[in-house]
Amino acid sequence: MFQKSHSRALTKRHKVAIAGVATLGAAALAFSAVPSNAETTTSEAASAKVAYSSEQLKGLRSDVTEQLAGTSLQSQAAEAAAAKKAAAKAASEAAAKKKAAAEAAAKKKAAAEAAAKKKAEQERKAKEAASRSAKRATVKAAATKSYANNLDGWIKESLDIMKSKGIPGTYNGLYRNIIRESSGNPNAINNWDVNAVNGTPSIGLLQIIKPTFDAYHVSGTPFSQYDPVANIVASANYAADKYGSIDNVNGAY
């Protein structure tokens, strides 16, 4: 007789399958045993217990095994799909984290570069400001420098201005030409030479005429031929243009 197994509980689906197979098997056996006297045999068959052959039991076990195997495969497939989905999710999250980290690194790098650029710009401006300050200090020092109001002081002040403007000349070159031209008198004027005849007399320490003074006047000095410093600097500027330096002038020029 077929005994129920107590070692493993069957699902409702399995139980239904087994019951169906058992019912069909019992029906097949009942009908195959019906004799010519159907009435009597049927009655006896109905009252007799149904017996199952070893082949039927074997087939039943095979069906149940196949159903259990199918259920196991479905469960494994579902687990594999869930694992695959979880792996895909993990990969997506890892990619998102990697992208976020890369973006953060790029932002940090950009911020560092911007900070470095800003610092460099600030340092450049600071250097420029310091340079301008130094230049202003130099100019201020030169402006506040005092000179004697005599020929020595006029030549020294003129030399400082000439140096700042890039005009060549030495103390000796200026002094020598001044003594020859005016004996050191800033108000000296020549009223007898050809320049005077032409209406442009030579005036001042280095006896420069008005057109030449106007053409070679140096900014920052008074616009007057009689001003000793303006006269010296304009004359030295003219001599540098025509002779290379006032030092190269040894006569009328």
Side-chain angles (χ1 to χ4, degrees):
M1 295 294 290
F2 175 75
Q3 300 295 322
K4 293 184 179 179
S5 175
H6 296 284
S7 62
R8 182 172 181 179
L10 299 179
T11 64
K12 184 178 181 181
R13 180 179 177 185
H14 297 158
K15 291 177 179 180
V16 171
I18 293 170
V21 172
T23 301
L24 290 174
L29 287 174
F31 283 110
S32 63
V34 176
S36 59
N37 186 357
E39 198 173 313
T40 302
T41 306
T42 302
S43 175
E44 292 176 356
S47 62
K49 291 183 178 181
V50 178
Y52 299 97
S53 67
S54 61
E55 291 297 326
Q56 289 175 322
L57 290 176
K58 184 178 180 180
L60 180 60
R61 290 192 189 98
S62 178
D63 290 342
V64 172
T65 301
E66 289 179 358
Q67 290 182 20
L68 290 173
T71 301
S72 177
L73 290 174
Q74 290 177 356
S75 177
Q76 290 176 3
E79 289 176 357
K84 185 176 180 181
K85 184 177 180 181
K89 183 179 180 182
S92 178
E93 290 176 351
K97 288 181 179 180
K98 185 177 181 180
K99 182 179 179 182
E103 290 177 349
K107 288 181 179 179
K108 185 177 180 180
K109 182 179 179 181
E113 290 177 348
K117 185 177 180 181
K118 184 178 180 180
K119 184 179 180 181
E121 181 65 15
Q122 289 175 341
E123 290 177 351
R124 183 186 66 78
K125 288 182 178 179
K127 287 181 180 179
E128 289 180 351
S131 178
R132 288 194 296 269
S133 179
K135 287 180 180 178
R136 285 195 296 270
T138 301
V139 172
K140 184 177 181 180
T144 56
K145 186 176 180 179
S146 60
Y147 303 93
N149 188 24
N150 54 33
L151 181 58
D152 178 70
W154 299 332
I155 293 175
K156 288 179 178 178
E157 183 177 357
S158 297
L159 285 171
D160 285 342
I161 295 173
M162 289 164 60
K163 182 179 180 180
S164 68
K165 301 294 183 178
I167 300 171
T170 64
Y171 186 100
N172 291 333
L174 291 173
Y175 182 82
R176 173 169 46 80
N177 282 284
I178 288 172
I179 295 302
R180 187 189 67 251
E181 293 294 331
S182 65
S183 299
N185 179 10
N187 296 313
I189 182 170
N190 186 327
N191 290 314
W192 54 266
D193 65 5
V194 65
N195 290 320
V197 172
N198 293 330
T200 55
S202 301
I203 296 174
L205 291 176
L206 285 168
Q207 293 291 286
I208 188 171
I209 62 176
K210 187 69 165 61
T212 302
F213 177 83
D214 292 346
Y216 290 92
H217 172 261
V218 175
S219 61
T221 62
F223 210 89
S224 169
Q225 290 168 266
Y226 290 100
D227 182 85
V229 173
N231 187 287
I232 292 172
V233 176
S235 299
N237 194 23
Y238 166 74
D241 183 42
K242 299 299 181 181
Y243 306 100
S245 172
I246 190 69
D247 293 349
N248 298 329
V249 178
N250 296 296
Y253 63 106

